[in-house]
Amino acid sequence: MRRRTSNVLLALVALTLALTAAAQDEVRTTPGTFTIEDFLEVPTIGSVRVSPDGSQVAWVRSRRDLEDDTRLNELWLSDKDGKQPRRITYQSESTGGLRWRPDGTLCFRRTVDDESQVFINPLDGSEPRPVTDFDQGVGAYWWSPDSQWLAVLAAKEEDEDEEEDDKADWTVHDRLELPEEYPQLWIVPAGWWTTPDDEREARRLSDPPFHCYHVAWSPDGKTLAVTYNPLFSSLVDEEQRVALVDVETGEWRDISDPERHASFAAFSPNGKQVAFLTDREADYRAYLNLVDLVVHDLQSGETEIVYGATDHVLAGSGSTPRHAPIWSADGKSLYLSAALGTTLDLYRVDVKKRQLEPVTELAGALGSWDVAGGTFAFVESALHEPGTLYARPVKKDKPVALDTTNDTVESFGLLPAQKLQLPGKDGVVVEGFLFLPPGAGMNDKLPAVIEMHGGPFSRYGNAWTTRYPWQVLSHQGFAVFIANPRGGTGYGAEFLRGVYRNFGTDDFDDLMAAVDALVERGVVDGDRLGFTGYSYGGLMTNVVVSRTDRFQCAVSIAGIWNYTSAIGQNNSQLFIDSYLQPWAGDLDRMWEHSPASRAATITTPTLVMHGLDDEPVDPRQSIEMFSYLQLNGVPSRLVLYPDEGHGINRPSHMLDYETRELEWFRHYLMGDEEAAGAAPPVPVEETVR
């Protein structure tokens, strides 16, 4: 059942449906009109910030520019009633990190000389002015309540250490990462804005190997609540803690349980309590845990759960929280997002009653949001709608549209994806979304692409994507099914832990059962199936081609091939959380589960792509896979993108890999000889012993 929060939204839906219906007549006669180039240049809305008094909303409109091969960001501002929306910056590149100073001045980060610094925009027509000047830039920042100081996360300054021998060309590691590059906590004076002769100096309040993530100021400005890791390393458990830091003395005091991952603190308006999020169960590591919302009383020192024991994924939709809760002005409740199944909405938690109640019940999904001064602003998107920004009073359900990017795709007639619940293994329900070509029906036996999400501790919801061109594939004549098998979030602890010590086993069976159901219903053609995925979805793609030959082709992106070698490369944390250490009993199990162990059985033509600077998943995983495929004569191709990490993000690179993916499916599933497939593998003589 579709859910909406207001008649205004219903009217917008009706208008969108009318425009879509009008556009479909043209789309049906010209299939494939929504191209990869169109998809990549669709603008989106994010970084929503409400002014302290609730009267104004600022946001960022972002889009890729394929011609200049860059991403452009525009800062916009509007009154909360939607009047006079206006663009306020014209230097688009690398602008973001919006925040309001408590005095009502708008601030943001801008890249200067390749480093990100904090700027103040007085909104009086004058040029924005810099506040920081760090050698390696600023990662994040938070204003003190009196607007006189900034808490900043930035690396140590280059001149703080002794000068290094310029003849040294080697690197010494005490851990795989270099602690001197970790973000540290700084206090930066910003009083010069009102007091030009201010001579106070910046102070650093943490030292490597501390790794700081998030900061909150107490209302009196004397204390910081900091999320940090005391010894961050991919070779150890990534257990974050929450500590209180005395601004004057620099003294640190932990307030969270060191045995549980804790993060994203927020002081109550009266300064007597600190809310934060913490792992529910100490026996499970961060990736395998749901989180609880807790409140720490500063006078008694007691920490109590204000909301837990729920299947909701609090403060985001992934395995770890993404944002801090926000206190209501009266200190009686906390706001945070939460995911359940494929939904993502804003919720209010009553601190005394320990109750969770929805603030939104969206047909799509909650995007960027903020609450301040009695105003709630949020972005709603869907799989066929890039998003609309709304504002409304916190206590009333009458949102006003401030901006939208939905109009940029109206002419393409994008159809809503159909939410399906399909049978998995042993009674598990696999939820997902089905994209059909314009004019297609549910029994047309279409060529199909099945896609698995990353993580595995994640899930697909009804939200616009800026990475996966599902709508492009459907406009090219493919049915596309994106799936949530066990191991993902939003379906409870048991479902989340469904792949513990079992990557690519029960989740593979769930996926195959769901595909069986689609074939039996006549939606897809069982003889024209393709599979793809990114990150853990790439791992699952590798599993699929190694466990079955039912797919005519596959595309693996940034995936893991050999679990036993991956744990010794850059993705140790994933396996430390999810398997016993190889020398502690799981070596044989990890090899058995690895796609590499079944390399001899693979026959599926497979396109393998990876970023060369990927740290979470080393590109050697894809190189090793491609080598195995070539040795076994499997039609395959390897594409490696320079200067790309785990997310391949440069517009020209995204255009290339998504075009290659589309052509791969067209070649092998539609018989399009003009679309690129694999060159014949180099023959390798079999050795007889």
Side-chain angles (χ1 to χ4, degrees):
M1 181 177 67
R2 292 181 65 84
R3 300 177 294 165
R4 280 285 174 182
T5 57
S6 75
N7 292 332
V8 173
L9 296 182
L10 286 170
L12 287 170
V13 169
L15 176 60
T16 300
L17 291 176
L19 291 169
T20 298
Q24 281 181 15
D25 291 337
E26 179 181 352
V27 171
R28 287 192 181 99
T29 60
T30 56
T33 53
F34 187 54
T35 67
I36 291 174
E37 290 86 348
D38 294 326
F39 165 69
L40 289 174
E41 290 195 323
V42 171
T44 55
I45 301 170
S47 300
V48 175
R49 294 289 181 181
V50 180
S51 63
D53 64 1
S55 65
Q56 299 182 91
V57 179
W59 67 94
V60 175
R61 283 180 65 106
S62 179
R63 68 177 179 87
R64 300 181 185 91
D65 187 323
L66 295 179
E67 182 176 353
D68 291 337
D69 199 16
T70 189
R71 177 179 284 275
L72 303 178
N73 293 331
E74 303 171 357
L75 269 56
W76 285 72
L77 183 69
S78 173
D79 295 338
K80 66 179 180 180
D81 57 7
K83 296 179 180 179
Q84 298 181 329
R86 60 195 185 277
R87 182 178 173 181
I88 58 174
T89 61
Y90 290 87
Q91 296 182 18
S92 298
E93 294 83 357
S94 303
T95 300
L98 281 177
R99 289 192 181 276
W100 291 89
R101 284 204 338 173
D103 65 3
T105 305
L106 186 62
C107 309
F108 58 89
R109 285 186 289 113
R110 171 182 289 170
T111 298
V112 178
D113 296 329
D114 297 325
E115 301 297 345
S116 180
Q117 307 293 349
V118 179
F119 281 72
I120 291 178
N121 191 330
L123 300 178
D124 59 5
S126 61
E127 282 294 312
R129 308 173 196 179
V131 182
T132 62
D133 185 23
F134 281 84
D135 291 342
Q136 299 181 57
V138 171
Y141 66 100
W142 296 264
W143 283 102
S144 64
D146 62 4
S147 300
Q148 294 295 301
W149 294 87
L150 274 178
V152 167
L153 298 187
K156 289 178 62 176
E157 292 289 80
E158 294 176 356
D159 59 359
E160 285 191 87
D161 296 320
E162 295 182 5
E163 185 176 350
E164 295 184 2
D165 182 355
D166 59 7
K167 296 181 180 179
D169 58 358
W170 55 84
T171 303
V172 178
H173 290 268
D174 289 314
R175 52 182 52 85
L176 190 59
E177 300 79 14
L178 297 174
E180 61 268 21
E181 297 178 355
Y182 296 175
Q184 300 302 319
L185 174 62
W186 294 76
I187 301 296
V188 179
W192 62 267
W193 185 253
T194 54
T195 310
D197 59 352
D198 187 354
E199 297 182 353
R200 296 172 297 178
E201 295 184 353
R203 292 187 293 129
R204 182 163 50 81
L205 300 183
S206 67
D207 293 293
F210 273 28
H211 188 173
C212 300
Y213 299 86
H214 180 267
V215 177
W217 286 86
S218 63
D220 61 9
K222 296 180 179 179
T223 308
L224 300 172
V226 182
T227 301
Y228 78 105
N229 193 304
L231 290 171
F232 176 79
S233 170
S234 65
L235 297 178
V236 298
D237 200 12
E238 192 179 345
E239 291 298 336
Q240 296 175 343
R241 303 179 184 181
V242 172
L244 298 181
V245 181
D246 187 291
V247 173
E248 183 176 352
T249 66
E251 179 183 354
W252 288 61
R253 176 171 64 88
D254 285 352
I255 60 171
S256 65
D257 182 349
E259 299 300 319
R260 300 171 191 253
H261 188 282
S263 59
F264 292 111
F267 279 95
S268 62
N270 61 13
K272 296 181 179 180
Q273 296 174 304
V274 179
F276 56 91
L277 297 133
T278 185
D279 281 351
R280 182 172 301 168
E281 300 178 56
D283 292 339
Y284 287 91
R285 298 165 90 91
Y287 284 153
L288 294 166
N289 241 310
L290 296 178
V291 300
D292 292 335
L293 177 62
V294 303
V295 168
H296 177 83
D297 186 273
L298 294 176
Q299 183 173 2
S300 68
E302 297 294 323
T303 301
E304 297 184 357
I305 298 174
V306 297
Y307 195 75
T310 176
D311 288 345
H312 287 83
V313 182
L314 302 181
S317 61
S319 56
T320 55
R322 292 297 184 90
H323 66 82
I326 296 179
W327 287 87
S328 62
D330 59 11
K332 295 181 179 180
S333 57
L334 289 154
Y335 295 96
L336 77 170
S337 68
L340 186 64
T342 61
T343 67
L344 180 63
D345 281 288
L346 184 74
Y347 289 82
R348 180 189 296 109
V349 177
D350 187 297
V351 174
K352 287 188 176 181
K353 296 180 180 179
R354 310 295 203 256
Q355 292 178 346
L356 184 75
E357 55 187 49
V359 178
T360 63
E361 294 178 294
L362 304 176
L366 183 71
S368 180
W369 63 276
D370 194 21
V371 176
T375 298
F376 165 45
F378 66 100
V379 175
E380 179 186 6
S381 74
L383 287 164
H384 65 298
E385 295 175 329
T388 298
L389 170 63
Y390 299 98
R392 49 166 266 203
V394 169
K395 296 183 179 180
K396 295 181 181 179
D397 190 9
K398 293 182 179 180
V400 174
L402 306 184
D403 192 10
T404 186
T405 58
N406 293 345
D407 55 348
T408 64
V409 299
E410 284 177 352
S411 64
F412 301 111
L414 304 187
L415 301 176
Q418 299 182 40
K419 181 178 175 180
L420 299 181
Q421 293 183 323
L422 301 175
K425 178 186 177 183
D426 300 332
V428 168
V429 174
V430 178
E431 281 195 321
F433 293 92
L434 177 67
F435 300 80
L436 292 178
M442 288 293 288
N443 57 357
D444 286 357
K445 294 190 67 174
L446 298 163
V449 175
I450 311 300
E451 179 154 336
M452 167 66 182
H453 60 70
F457 314 113
S458 181
R459 97 293 185 248
Y460 285 136
N462 188 18
W464 181 260
T465 173
T466 60
R467 179 171 297 280
Y468 305 109
W470 302 315
Q471 295 278 5
V472 175
L473 288 168
S474 68
H475 273 235
Q476 288 282 338
F478 296 97
V480 181
F481 182 66
I482 59 174
N484 291 340
R486 79 186 75 192
T489 57
Y491 300 93
E494 182 179 356
F495 194 91
L496 174 70
R497 296 167 190 158
V499 295
Y500 174 60
R501 299 180 68 218
N502 281 300
F503 282 179
T505 57
D506 288 344
D507 47 355
F508 167 81
D509 291 334
D510 286 345
L511 287 167
M512 294 307 101
V515 173
D516 289 341
L518 291 173
V519 173
E520 290 170 5
R521 295 182 184 188
V523 180
V524 305
D525 184 348
D527 294 325
R528 292 188 293 170
L529 295 174
F531 198 96
T532 187
Y534 199 117
S535 190
Y536 188 88
L539 175 152
M540 182 55 66
T541 303
N542 303 342
V543 167
V544 164
V545 299
S546 72
R547 287 188 179 273
T548 180
D549 61 359
R550 72 184 300 183
F551 293 87
Q552 281 64 58
C553 65
V555 179
S556 171
I557 309 174
I560 292 173
W561 165 252
N562 185 338
Y563 301 176
T564 60
S565 60
I567 193 173
Q569 295 170 352
N570 291 47
N571 204 26
S572 306
Q573 188 63 46
L574 178 65
F575 287 101
I576 290 172
D577 277 3
S578 303
Y579 280 86
L580 302 179
Q581 294 168 345
W583 50 90
D586 266 0
L587 178 60
D588 291 341
R589 186 184 189 91
M590 292 175 70
W591 175 247
E592 177 187 349
H593 291 173
S594 295
S597 70
R598 297 177 295 276
T601 67
I602 299 176
T603 59
T604 306
T606 305
L607 172 62
V608 184
M609 297 185 281
H610 217 121
L612 274 173
D613 291 342
D614 190 341
E615 291 189 357
V617 179
D618 196 289
R620 287 174 291 182
Q621 289 292 306
S622 287
I623 295 170
E624 182 180 332
M625 177 183 183
F626 177 68
S627 299
Y628 279 39
L629 296 178
Q630 289 284 296
L631 288 170
N632 286 333
V634 179
S636 50
R637 176 166 287 166
L638 174 67
V639 186
L640 300 173
Y641 294 95
D643 303 317
E644 292 284 12
H646 195 50
I648 301 172
N649 293 321
R650 185 172 175 176
S652 60
H653 291 168
M654 295 192 75
L655 177 61
D656 183 83
Y657 88 71
E658 292 181 358
T659 299
R660 290 179 185 277
E661 178 183 55
L662 173 60
E663 292 205 349
W664 197 263
F665 290 135
R666 289 192 59 84
H667 181 90
Y668 289 104
L669 300 184
M670 291 183 169
D672 184 351
E673 294 300 327
E674 294 184 1
V682 176
V684 178
E685 294 183 3
E686 183 175 348
T687 301
V688 179
R689 297 183 183 275

